[in-house]
Amino acid sequence: AQSVTQLGSHVSVSEGALVLLRCNYSSSVPPYLFWYVQYPNQGLQLLLKYTTGATLVKGINGFEAEFKKSETSFHLTKPSAHMSDAAEYFCAVRTTGANSKLTFGKGITLSVRP
Amino acid sequence: GAGVSQTPSNKVTEKGKYVELRCDPISGHTALYWYRQSLGQGPEFLIYFQGTGAADDSGLPNDRFFAVRPEGSVSTLKIQRTERGDSAVYLCASARGGSEETQYFGPGTRLLVL
């Protein structure tokens, strides 16, 4: 079984500040890991994903995440927040096997203060 | 190209009624997924199709829920005898296939059962 933990439901940062959204996962097999962003009244958009290879993954809009197997973490970061980053962010995990359903965390709402 | 589309975008129904939710995947995508997102939660897996067949329906909550994909393209999620607890956003995603597939999500159908 797989699970994802996103601690806290809301993060608020100032424009230009570092964004750090935490994600820890549980998986009995090597996972594939994803971050999705959801803007109000829109569908989920893929920010970045880790499958194999380099553990530091760069995504769209200046976001990146690092897969740390020893810590079972996949935290999302962005050096400088922009007002347009305000949205809900979901971390997800799936196995590399044939059943490729995603298991999502509860999500974190990011607010950006001017 | 066109993304995943879902219709209707909003559906209001009365308790006990039958509803159908439609998903048009990205052309050429063989894998199709349905998820349900309740307020304040991450999406939860319902069912996964590979082609015309349901490869995994372990997430369907009970026998009131059923989904079909008769020609391997469009899918319909059917809910019988709706209950107030069925109110949620129903998300559809499609993927090309392969072990490192990315799931692309539609905007969702917001279902409200009165």
Side-chain angles (χ1 to χ4, degrees):
Chain A
Q2 309 157 89
S3 66
V4 173
T5 301
Q6 294 184 252
L7 289 178
S9 59
H10 186 227
V11 170
S12 180
V13 300
S14 297
E15 191 173 19
L18 172 71
V19 175
L20 170 60
L21 304 181
R22 298 179 186 275
C23 172
N24 288 87
Y25 70 90
S26 172
S27 177
S28 57
V29 297
Y32 289 165
L33 296 158
F34 304 80
W35 275 99
Y36 282 87
V37 60
Q38 187 174 38
Y39 298 101
N41 299 315
Q42 294 188 26
L44 294 163
Q45 180 181 2
L46 181 70
L47 270 179
L48 48 80
K49 66 179 181 180
Y50 168 78
T51 54
T52 58
T55 56
L56 182 62
V57 180
K58 295 187 184 298
I60 61 171
N61 301 337
F63 284 94
E64 62 182 37
E66 186 170 11
F67 170 56
K68 293 187 176 180
K69 183 178 178 181
S70 61
E71 299 177 8
T72 61
S73 70
F74 191 57
H75 302 329
L76 182 71
T77 61
K78 181 175 180 177
S80 177
H82 191 272
M83 297 296 291
S84 61
D85 295 328
E88 191 156 20
Y89 292 80
F90 294 93
C91 182
V93 63
R94 76 165 182 87
T95 66
T96 58
N99 181 354
S100 55
K101 68 181 181 184
L102 289 166
T103 299
F104 285 87
K106 291 187 175 182
I108 298 175
T109 299
L110 175 66
S111 300
V112 182
R113 304 184 302 272
Chain B
V4 178
S5 62
Q6 293 185 247
T7 54
S9 54
N10 291 280
K11 176 71 176 178
V12 180
T13 190
E14 294 179 344
K15 180 176 177 294
K17 298 290 188 182
Y18 168 82
V19 297
E20 289 190 351
L21 312 179
R22 176 187 168 109
C23 172
D24 280 86
I26 294 171
S27 177
H29 281 192
T30 59
L32 186 146
Y33 308 79
W34 284 97
Y35 294 83
R36 179 168 71 173
Q37 186 176 15
S38 300
L39 195 62
Q41 302 295 318
E44 293 180 314
F45 170 77
L46 295 176
I47 187 169
Y48 157 51
F49 287 90
Q50 182 59 48
T52 60
D56 181 358
D57 64 358
S58 63
L60 294 178
N62 51 61
D63 61 5
R64 295 187 297 104
F65 288 75
F66 189 71
V68 296
R69 194 185 185 200
E71 297 179 356
S73 177
V74 170
S75 176
T76 304
L77 179 65
K78 308 180 180 192
I79 310 174
Q80 298 177 322
R81 304 183 304 279
T82 52
E83 300 177 357
R84 292 192 179 88
D86 298 335
S87 297
V89 177
Y90 289 82
L91 297 169
C92 176
S94 71
R96 191 183 308 277
S99 62
E100 297 190 2
E101 61 190 42
T102 294
Q103 295 182 25
Y104 295 90
F105 283 79
T109 292
R110 189 175 300 274
L111 176 66
L112 177 61
V113 182
L114 300 176

